[in-house]
Amino acid sequence: WEGAETGTGGSRAVWLAARTKLDFLFCPSDTQWKVRNNDEHGPTSYAVSAGDYTPLTDDYEFGRSRGPFAPCRWFGLEAIADGTSNTVLFSEHVTSRRDRRVRGVVGTVAASSLPTTSGGCETTFIAKTCLDTVSGGEYNSSVGISVGYGDRWMDGANYFTWVNMILPPNSPTCRTSGDPYPMINPPTSFHSGGVNLTLGDVSVRFVSDTINAGTLTSSGPLCVSSGPSPFGIWGAMGSKDGSELATP
């Protein structure tokens, strides 16, 4: 919708909708959008779940996901084979801020530093690579950062309205350099010790930052395209049909 403000008819209607700020899309604990969002887009503190998967920015053509939502694709409740009470639908994610603190800022990892893979996975991201971008609650000075997460509630790109259950809540958010890029974007909040989630049975649950997210090493896992999640109970809550035995 960029530039649509000068258009007419449908294009201008989209532009007007996109810049509308909707109060119900703001978490009361997330006041950052009031501070930094002065542009024409309506922000959001909430995001849909891709499960334990990292969709690319241009994934619209493929509709791949391990969660209940996927770019340009939709699932019925019957697709949540692991059970609606065990699967995350939506989560909080802090809107962007202009500093190096973890919550609300995206760290950039050079794509050349990541290994390659093939098969059903599109991303080569290792979760520990993202964890290692942070010390003392802030991104390391050597890591590039960007802002903008949550700036556009109408934008279906992973940079604006997606989360995944790979790193535990309130862990760093990372993307690779270049476009298209995958992202590790865990739920984040300003609540003490965790985040609120909405599950498939429409219940709301508070999940601790210390939830079991598997064993993260420098050699993997890269990503998962089928079967049980390697990211512990946290990943099991993300996948809709991983057939995991673990329950939250």
Side-chain angles (χ1 to χ4, degrees), residues 93 102-103 105-107 127-134 139 164 167-174 184-186 188:
H93 195 294
V102 169
R103 301 180 198 191
V105 181
V106 180
K128 190 174 185 300
T129 304
C130 186
L131 280 178
D132 290 344
T133 63
V134 172
Y139 289 93
N164 45 32
L167 293 183
N170 292 313
S171 295
T173 300
C174 297
I184 290 183
N185 39 0
T188 58

Side-chain angles (χ1 to χ4, degrees), residues 155-243:
D155 197 319
N158 57 7
Y159 193 83
F160 300 108
T161 50
W162 291 81
V163 289
N164 45 32
M165 281 75 243
I166 295 175
L167 293 183
N170 292 313
S171 295
T173 300
C174 297
R175 54 163 284 188
T176 61
S177 57
D179 195 6
Y181 50 81
M183 285 184 69
I184 290 183
N185 39 0
T188 58
S189 79
F190 288 121
H191 304 305
S192 177
V195 297
N196 288 307
L197 309 171
T198 299
L199 301 178
D201 60 0
V202 202
S203 63
V204 175
R205 179 173 300 181
F206 185 80
V207 174
S208 170
D209 294 345
T210 59
I211 189 172
N212 182 309
T215 302
L216 300 176
T217 69
S218 58
S219 60
L222 293 172
C223 60
V224 57
S225 57
S226 63
S229 175
F231 302 111
I233 294 174
W234 184 229
M237 291 180 68
S239 67
K240 67 183 183 301
D241 54 2
S243 301

